[in-house]
Amino acid sequence: MKIFKLQEDPSYRFYNLDAYNVQKYLSSYPYLQDNKNYAICPYCGNPVAILYVANKEHTDASIYARHVTNDVAGFPRINKQKLDHCLLSYNLVPFVPATSPIESISLKSVNIPNLRKAFNSVTGISFSNYTTGEILKNHHNALAFRNVDSYNFYFSLLIDAKRFNLSNRYVWANQIKKAINTKSRYFKLIGDKVVPKQKGIGDLRLEIKEYDFKDGYLPSITFEIYEQINETSSSPLISFKRYCFMYDGLVGEPASTNEYF
């Protein structure tokens, strides 16, 4: 992999793996031990060793990280379950149609409230339990995309859904609130709720503009928010990128989630 994080970092923070960042962040214990550098995998949270391509200078292009097989002093013990599901261990592109998913996910096993929280966290928009259940029912084919599992299927569902209408939805991300308040001609916020300035004038939409994956990096989605009036789309009010991280608790309790199916 070509990225890393530190133990004390929040879940969303990571760094490009290059000579400058190795020197800046990984030059003291526990990141430096016996002349070897270690860090944390940004996806599965397990320790990784920093390695260099043999017989080459330690340039940025020659530095990469690989998961360790044994516990490292000063780091959390290896979580084998998450390691086995780490996208940064694969060479295949995830989240594209595939004939053989890693695991089968039952619709009735999905924890709707936790899936909703994952959607909210990635998009900055508030999803209801009902809307989350509808997305799952309408895009359940995304559960069989390549390398989709119980930690990341929220991401494949967003990719398959592609776009969402924001009218009468609640916004919690400050950058989205600012974009609507300063750039939207036809919509406004009352509290945190998106409402039209006049009835029947169109839609405010959140759309996935691009899905991207490069070997050694986290999969990402680029979102755009734009106004659509009479079949004409405006220039984006805002464009932002979000990365795929493991999300715990997407399957299992509460059992009451079965009522959606």
Side-chain angles (χ1 to χ4, degrees), residues 25-138:
Y25 296 109
L26 306 179
S27 58
S28 61
Y29 183 87
Y31 304 109
L32 178 62
Q33 300 183 44
D34 298 326
N35 294 319
K36 295 180 181 179
N37 294 111
Y38 298 93
I40 294 290
C41 172
Y43 188 71
C44 72
N46 283 302
V48 296
I50 310 303
L51 305 172
Y52 301 87
V53 176
N55 300 321
K56 289 188 177 182
E57 296 296 326
H58 289 183
T59 62
D60 292 350
S62 70
I63 306 174
Y64 67 101
R66 186 170 64 192
H67 291 92
V68 299
T69 56
N70 297 308
D71 292 336
V72 179
F75 286 87
R77 297 191 66 179
I78 294 173
N79 185 320
K80 186 67 164 51
Q81 172 73 15
K82 290 190 173 183
L83 179 58
D84 288 344
H85 288 77
C86 186
L87 293 178
L88 294 178
S89 295
Y90 300 148
N91 293 321
L92 298 175
V93 177
F95 307 131
V96 295
T99 56
S100 301
I102 289 179
E103 60 183 73
S104 177
I105 300 170
S106 164
L107 292 181
K108 289 188 176 182
S109 73
V110 174
N111 186 308
I112 296 293
N114 283 348
L115 178 60
R116 173 182 62 82
K117 291 176 184 177
F119 286 166
N120 293 352
S121 177
V122 173
T123 63
I125 305 298
S126 180
F127 287 75
S128 66
N129 283 348
Y130 175 81
T131 301
T132 300
E134 288 297 299
I135 293 170
L136 182 60
K137 285 193 287 187
N138 294 333

Side-chain angles (χ1 to χ4, degrees), residues 154-259:
Y154 73 95
F155 214 70
S156 67
L157 288 169
L158 290 174
I159 291 170
D160 199 58
K162 296 182 176 60
R163 62 184 60 86
F164 308 93
N165 187 356
L166 300 187
S167 267
N168 298 309
R169 302 277 290 277
Y170 288 88
V171 177
W172 67 265
N174 289 331
Q175 62 176 352
I176 297 177
K177 293 179 185 179
K178 181 178 179 180
I180 294 172
N181 284 330
T182 59
K183 297 182 179 180
S184 178
R185 295 179 60 189
Y186 302 104
F187 295 86
K188 62 182 179 180
L189 291 174
I190 295 182
D192 293 332
K193 187 177 182 179
V194 177
V195 296
K197 294 179 179 178
Q198 299 178 26
K199 290 185 178 180
I201 59 173
D203 295 319
L204 188 68
R205 294 191 175 181
L206 173 71
E207 180 171 313
I208 292 174
K209 187 67 176 179
E210 181 181 27
Y211 161 64
D212 186 45
F213 176 78
K214 294 188 294 183
D215 189 28
Y217 295 85
L218 292 171
S220 68
I221 290 173
T222 299
F223 292 97
E224 286 186 353
I225 293 179
Y226 62 91
E227 297 173 319
Q228 185 164 18
I229 311 296
N230 298 325
E231 305 298 325
T232 300
S233 299
S234 70
S235 298
L237 305 184
I238 187 174
S239 177
F240 56 97
K241 181 179 287 189
R242 293 291 182 265
Y243 295 92
C244 180
F245 298 98
M246 279 187 165
Y247 206 104
D248 292 322
L250 295 178
V251 296
E253 295 293 337
S256 60
T257 57
N258 289 349
E259 70 190 42

